[in-house]
C-alpha cells in the first residue's frame, strides 16, 4: 500500500462539476492499494497517516504535531495510479488491486481511519469516479508512505535496529575469539609421565615449551 500525504490549508473533490467533499486545514491522502495488501498493511498505514508529524506545535516548532494532535481534518482519495509500473514510457497498473476488491478494501480503510480518529473529521472522494481533486498544499509539504511488503523481514526501523545490534554482538564475539572456558576444553591434555612410567622426579611436563 502506498500513500501520498500532503499538508493542506484546504482541499476538495469535485465530480461532474459538483463538489462532493471539502476540508479546511489538515492533510489530503492519495491512497494506492496493491494486490498483496491485507488487513495488516491497512492498519499499518492508518497508524502512520494519523501519527505523521507534519505540523508545528504551539511554540512554532516544526514537525512536532500530527493531524490527530491538532484535531485537523483528513481528506482521502483512492488513487490506483500510485501502483504504476512503467513499461518503457507506458504506465502499467497490474500491481494495483482489481476495482471490485479494492473498493471493499478502501471502505475498510476509511472505516478503520474513522474508528481510530474522529469520524466527522474524515472525508473522502468517490471511489472509481473521474474526480477533480483541488489541493492547496501548505509549505509545500508532501510525504510518501509505503507499508512493509507482505512477508518482508524486518522492514520496521525498530526491527532493523534489533538485527543490527544482534549482528554487532556477533562481530564482537568473533573479534574476541574463543572464550577461556572453550580454550580449556579444546586444549590437549598433558600426560602425567610420572604416573604412567612410575618414575619419580620427572618434571618434564612442567618445563616451558
Amino acid at each position: 500500500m502506498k500513500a501520498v500525504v500532503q499538508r493542506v490549508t484546504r482541499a476538495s473533490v469535485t465530480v461532474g462539476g459538483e463538489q462532493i467533499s471539502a476540508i479546511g486545514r489538515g492533510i489530503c491522502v492519495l491512497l494506492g492499494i496493491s494486490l498483496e495488501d491485507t488487513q495488516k498493511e491497512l492498519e499499518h498505514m492508518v497508524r502512520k497517516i494519523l501519527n505523521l508529524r507534519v505540523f508545528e506545535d504551539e511554540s512554532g516548532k516544526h514537525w512536532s504535531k500530527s493531524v490527530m494532535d491538532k484535531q485537523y481534518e483528513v481528506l482521502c482519495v483512492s488513487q490506483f495510479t500510485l501502483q504504476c509500473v512503467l513499461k518503457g514510457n507506458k504506465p502499467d497498473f497490474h500491481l494495483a488491486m482489481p476495482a471490485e476488491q479494492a473498493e471493499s478494501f478502501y471502505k475498510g480503510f476509511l472505516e478503520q481511519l474513522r474508528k481510530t480518529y474522529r469520524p466527522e473529521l474524515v472525508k473522502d472522494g468517490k471511489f472509481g469516479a473521474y474526480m477533480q481533486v483541488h489541493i492547496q498544499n501548505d509549505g509545500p509539504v508532501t510525504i510518501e508512505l509505503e507499508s512493509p511488503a507482505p512477508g518482508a523481514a524486518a522492514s520496521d526501523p525498530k526491527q532493523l535496529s534489533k538485527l543490527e545490534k544482534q549482528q554487532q554482538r556477533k562481530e564482537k564475539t568473533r573479534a574476541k575469539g574463543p572464550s577461556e572456558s572453550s580454550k580449556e576444553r579444546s586444549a590437549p591434555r598433558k600426560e602425567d609421565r610420572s604416573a604412567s612410567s612410575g618414575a619419580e622426579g620427572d618434571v618434564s611436563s612442567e618445563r616451558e615449551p
Side-chain angles (χ1 to χ4, degrees):
M1 187 180 295
K2 296 180 179 180
V4 173
V5 181
Q6 299 183 67
R7 187 178 71 186
V8 301
T9 51
R10 63 174 178 261
S12 63
V13 177
T14 300
V15 176
E18 180 184 354
Q19 180 175 290
I20 63 170
S21 288
I23 64 169
R25 191 163 174 78
I27 57 175
C28 181
V29 180
L30 306 177
L31 189 75
I33 303 168
S34 82
L35 274 170
E36 298 182 335
D37 285 332
T38 66
Q39 184 67 22
K40 181 179 179 181
E41 285 73 49
L42 184 154
E43 292 174 358
H44 171 90
M45 189 60 76
V46 167
R47 287 195 304 271
K48 282 293 184 183
I49 289 170
L50 292 179
N51 290 287
L52 185 64
R53 295 186 295 178
V54 292
F55 299 98
E56 59 186 32
D57 63 14
E58 294 72 17
S59 65
K61 184 179 179 182
H62 296 291
W63 320 114
S64 299
K65 297 292 183 178
S66 68
V67 70
M68 285 203 302
D69 294 330
K70 303 293 284 186
Q71 294 293 290
Y72 288 157
E73 294 179 286
V74 180
L75 175 62
C76 286
V77 178
S78 177
Q79 188 172 353
F80 72 91
T81 58
L82 287 176
Q83 294 294 340
C84 167
V85 175
L86 287 179
K87 290 187 174 180
N89 293 320
K90 182 181 178 181
D92 180 271
F93 306 107
H94 72 276
L95 294 179
M97 186 177 287
E100 290 183 5
Q101 184 182 353
E103 184 173 9
S104 174
F105 193 92
Y106 179 66
K107 287 180 180 178
F109 173 85
L110 289 174
E111 183 180 340
Q112 183 70 24
L113 200 65
R114 288 171 174 142
K115 180 180 177 181
T116 308
Y117 191 27
R118 293 172 54 188
E120 69 275 15
L121 295 181
V122 178
K123 310 290 179 62
D124 71 299
K126 186 175 181 181
F127 187 92
Y130 190 88
M131 297 175 277
Q132 285 76 47
V133 184
H134 306 274
I135 301 170
Q136 186 166 302
N137 197 313
D138 180 30
V141 173
T142 302
I143 308 293
E144 295 181 358
L145 299 176
E146 186 168 359
S147 61
S155 295
D156 186 76
K158 291 182 180 179
Q159 293 298 323
L160 285 173
S161 179
K162 288 180 182 178
L163 287 178
E164 288 171 357
K165 288 179 181 179
Q166 289 174 1
Q167 186 62 28
Q168 288 172 1
R169 284 197 293 268
K170 287 179 181 179
E171 290 173 357
K172 286 180 181 179
T173 302
R174 292 195 199 102
K176 288 180 180 179
S179 63
E180 292 299 322
S181 58
S182 63
K183 285 180 181 179
E184 291 174 1
R185 287 196 298 270
S186 61
R189 295 183 179 180
K190 296 179 180 179
E191 294 182 359
D192 187 345
R193 294 186 180 179
S194 61
S196 59
S197 64
E200 296 181 0
D202 187 349
V203 292
S204 59
S205 63
E206 298 177 3
R207 294 175 187 169
E208 292 293 331

